[in-house]
Amino acid sequence: MSQTVDLVIFGGTGDLSTRKLLPALYQLHRHGLADRLQRIVATGRGEIDQETFRAEAHANLQTFLPERDWDAAVWERFRDRLHYMQIQADNDEHFTRLADLLAQHNATVKLFYLATLPSLYGDICSHLQAAGAVDHHSRVVLEKPLGHDLASCHEINRQVAAVFGEEATFRIDHYLGKETVQNLLAVRFGNPLLHPLWNNTFVDNVQITVAEEIGVEGRGSYYAKTGALRDMVQNHLLQVLSIVAMEPPTSLDPTDIRDEKVKVLRCLEPITAANAKERSVRGRYDAGAVKGEAVSGFLEEAEYKDAETTETFVALKATINNWRWAGVPFYLRTGKRLSRRYSEIVIEFKKLSFSLFANDPNELSNKLVIRLQPEETISLHTLNKKPGLTRKLRLQPVELHLTEDPQHKGVSYDAYERLLLDAINGDQTLFMRRDEVETAWRWIDSVIAAWDEAGTPIKPYNSGTMGPGAATALVAVDGRNWYE
Ligand SMILES: NC(=O)c1ccc[n+]([C@@H]2O[C@H](COP(=O)([O-])OP(=O)(O)OC[C@H]3O[C@@H](n4cnc5c(N)ncnc54)[C@H](OP(=O)(O)O)[C@@H]3O)[C@@H](O)[C@H]2O)c1
């Protein structure tokens, strides 16, 4: 018989659980993928009775699920599995009650999802252990951010590792749950056509952009202590970079894939005070207009301590010192209040050194463009003849869409559905291993130390633009442009 699972969500009343986790779990039920999940126990600090919590969950699911996916019969089944329990991270008695509840049905796997402040993770794990709620089948899922630098990340990992082994620890980066990120593995390692080109002989540069239209919204106090580098680059951008740049793994086994990803992170050249100016740009949004609507600047809206020293935009030129990628710049940029919301990876291949055609050779490059949001697509930008009776041949760009088949269009799911399903099934492939997260922090710490030492200024940019002019210059000095 297959293993049964009880899922306990710490932070079950919070924003993440309400908007993402419970809707994703409902969808797994709707698709018949969560049959082994016996119970979902959402926890929070308040004393809320079961039926009140279920009524709130009902209303929230109707708000956050697409209308077409709502099915009263699915809800009935889902509701029966949904429980609420009051748990405060420092209350022994609450954890004893939880252990008793879990013992009643004795599911094979107890899966603990920690979606509270990460500073509580150590306490929650040690209380779970002390109450006898953890056995060798138990697993823990950790939400980001895992610390604010290497030392604090190491400390959280140490506390969690005192209770859960690495094989039972699932660190989430929801970008890894996106279909297109996994498709990147398929495109890279499944196509003999691309495989020989994936190196510094043929690739000119790689660009990774995660652009947001929104400002800091309700997260101002958290964001003012964090900034774009820690909030986005440390996790999403470096995870994507490591998948783009990794060597072919020996197999698709989680260990083999994660071994290759961490090697890439280890090869990132540290940014230093001496090169911080050529390699990095920090920005902060001023007032402006996004999609025609006037918006205020970060400093006006976030009256938080440290806001003056916080970047809401960062652009970096990263270099990977290894055999495959030496000499290929990886340009990374992310920011808030930019002109549009999108996340994209662009692999730009080297240009022809000479043009037979009416075009400037600088126009003659092929690109693989991998869009992660808002839509998930992959397209290969090639060149062919511009139709017409002109005497000299002229080339024009043509996009080959690699994800447009109707079958793919029928398959759409949120990243949290994929990741929750994998955690339920015990598959760690799309979760970050401890050494990956810590190696990423080591590089981020080098950037922060370089900024401190060099006194790297934070440059203002108008909301509704693509960041400070210096970000354009970062790429332009190398004779390149951001792909937009
Ligand atoms: N929201 C997102 O989109 C998002 C995205 C990525 C990562 N995350 C991460 O996920 C975590 C949760 O974020 P969130 O936005 O959901 O936060 P939130 O809305 O502030 O919710 C926090 C949750 O933690 C519970 N909690 C707070 N203090 C507690 C304590 N001492 N003991 C036990 N439970 C406690 C709260 O319970 P009560 O309110 O019932 O007391 C609530 O359920 C954070 O680490 C965040 O960085 C969030």
Side-chain angles (χ1 to χ4, degrees):
M1 202 186 111
S2 70
Q3 294 186 323
T4 53
V5 178
D6 272 353
L7 169 65
V8 181
I9 306 175
F10 290 90
T13 52
D15 175 70
L16 181 73
S17 180
T18 305
R19 282 189 312 108
K20 291 289 182 185
L21 304 183
L22 291 178
L25 289 163
Y26 167 93
Q27 294 286 30
L28 292 178
H29 272 79
R30 193 171 74 85
H31 295 305
L33 292 170
D35 292 347
R36 61 170 60 180
L37 196 56
Q38 289 189 161
R39 279 179 305 189
I40 301 162
V41 184
T43 79
R45 283 169 300 184
E47 209 175 326
I48 308 172
D49 74 69
Q50 186 96 309
E51 289 315 313
T52 307
F53 179 77
R54 286 176 172 170
E56 279 170 16
H58 179 262
N60 289 333
L61 285 172
Q62 288 194 312
T63 306
F64 293 111
L65 285 167
E67 209 179 318
R68 62 174 186 279
D69 292 349
W70 181 254
D71 180 331
V74 174
W75 161 249
E76 296 288 315
R77 293 200 305 277
F78 186 70
R79 184 195 57 197
D80 290 346
R81 296 185 194 183
L82 189 59
H83 302 260
Y84 176 79
M85 195 168 217
Q86 179 191 25
I87 301 191
Q88 295 198 17
D90 58 357
N91 187 314
D92 298 345
E93 199 193 313
H94 289 171
F95 281 87
T96 307
R97 267 196 267 146
L98 175 67
D100 290 346
L101 179 81
L102 294 174
Q104 277 167 25
H105 287 76
N106 204 17
T108 330
V109 176
K110 290 158 193 97
L111 178 61
F112 301 103
Y113 196 119
L114 309 196
T116 61
L117 279 179
S119 52
L120 299 176
Y121 291 176
D123 242 4
I124 293 174
C125 291
S126 60
H127 275 87
L128 283 171
Q129 189 176 47
V134 180
D135 59 30
H136 65 283
H137 288 302
S138 304
R139 299 176 196 140
V140 68
V141 180
L142 307 177
E143 262 300 337
K144 75 156 206 162
L146 281 178
H148 59 272
D149 57 14
L150 177 59
S152 52
C153 174
H154 186 77
E155 181 55 19
I156 294 172
N157 282 330
R158 190 192 62 74
Q159 291 173 354
V160 173
V163 180
F164 294 93
E166 185 58 35
E167 70 297 338
T169 305
F170 292 65
R171 296 178 192 80
I172 285 236
D173 182 331
H174 74 266
Y175 261 57
L176 296 181
K178 288 180 181 289
E179 177 74 2
T180 310
V181 171
Q182 294 155 68
N183 205 356
L184 185 54
L185 288 175
V187 167
R188 273 202 61 187
F189 301 122
N191 287 292
L193 180 76
L194 285 176
H195 183 61
L197 307 180
W198 212 266
N199 53 50
N200 54 7
T201 309
F202 295 100
V203 173
D204 179 79
N205 73 93
V206 176
Q207 302 185 8
I208 303 174
T209 299
V210 177
E212 296 183 286
E213 275 170 14
I214 55 165
V216 295
E217 314 300 311
R219 297 171 71 221
S221 63
Y222 161 77
Y223 199 87
K225 284 184 260 149
T226 309
L229 181 73
R230 289 186 171 102
D231 191 42
M232 300 297 277
V233 181
Q234 191 276 337
N235 38 72
H236 305 325
L237 279 90
L238 289 187
Q239 281 297 312
V240 169
L241 173 142
S242 64
I243 293 178
V244 171
M246 69 194 260
E247 292 299 311
T250 323
S251 76
L252 292 181
D253 183 82
T255 303
D256 291 335
I257 291 184
R258 299 190 302 174
D259 280 350
E260 296 308 332
K261 282 170 63 199
V262 75
K263 281 188 210 162
V264 173
L265 298 172
R266 280 197 213 118
C267 293
L268 280 171
E269 186 175 299
I271 289 183
T272 62
N275 65 23
K277 196 164 173 216
E278 296 82 56
R279 299 278 188 94
S280 64
V281 173
R282 306 176 78 194
R284 178 173 55 231
Y285 63 82
D286 273 348
V290 177
K291 294 225 160 124
E293 259 189 46
V295 287
S296 47
F298 178 63
L299 291 183
E300 289 126 53
E301 63 192 17
E303 286 171 19
Y304 299 108
K305 197 171 159 285
D306 301 328
E308 297 250 344
T309 53
T310 305
E311 78 284 343
T312 62
F313 175 97
V314 61
L316 298 168
K317 178 175 159 180
T319 44
I320 299 173
N321 284 338
N322 68 11
W323 195 262
R324 184 183 290 270
W325 295 114
V328 178
F330 281 67
Y331 299 111
L332 314 178
R333 69 178 165 166
T334 182
K336 292 194 173 288
R337 284 276 165 74
L338 301 183
S339 54
R340 65 199 167 99
R341 168 180 174 259
Y342 73 104
S343 300
E344 197 168 74
I345 309 163
V346 180
I347 318 289
E348 182 166 13
F349 294 94
K350 287 195 169 152
K351 296 178 171 77
L352 291 176
S353 45
F354 160 77
S355 175
L356 283 174
F357 308 97
N359 313 61
D360 180 328
N362 282 323
E363 295 172 22
L364 304 182
S365 89
N366 296 136
K367 298 180 192 74
L368 185 69
V369 178
I370 300 145
R371 179 61 74 93
L372 303 174
Q373 64 184 23
E375 69 284 356
E376 295 199 49
T377 57
I378 302 184
S379 58
L380 187 61
H381 294 219
T382 58
L383 298 154
N384 71 6
K385 180 187 174 299
K386 190 172 171 131
L389 294 173
T390 48
R391 207 169 63 81
K392 195 158 185 196
L393 291 187
R394 177 171 279 282
L395 300 182
Q396 65 173 8
V398 175
E399 278 185 43
L400 300 176
H401 294 282
L402 307 182
T403 43
E404 287 257 308
D405 65 295
Q407 265 187 332
H408 176 82
K409 279 189 168 170
V411 182
S412 133
Y413 54 82
D414 186 80
Y416 276 98
E417 288 174 51
R418 160 100 260 162
L419 295 171
L420 276 161
L421 184 62
D422 286 357
I424 290 167
N425 291 333
D427 183 341
Q428 291 188 305
T429 312
L430 301 177
F431 295 84
M432 299 178 292
R433 207 166 58 189
R434 177 173 180 169
D435 55 352
E436 282 184 74
V437 186
E438 293 187 358
T439 309
W441 270 122
R442 185 168 290 115
W443 190 70
I444 294 295
D445 280 2
S446 85
V447 180
I448 292 166
W451 284 350
D452 285 348
E453 198 182 329
T456 303
I458 301 184
K459 309 215 159 145
Y461 60 96
N462 291 333
S463 287
T465 64
M466 279 307 284
T472 310
L474 178 94
V475 176
V477 291
D478 295 341
R480 300 183 177 103
N481 299 308
W482 289 104
Y483 174 75
E484 308 219 338

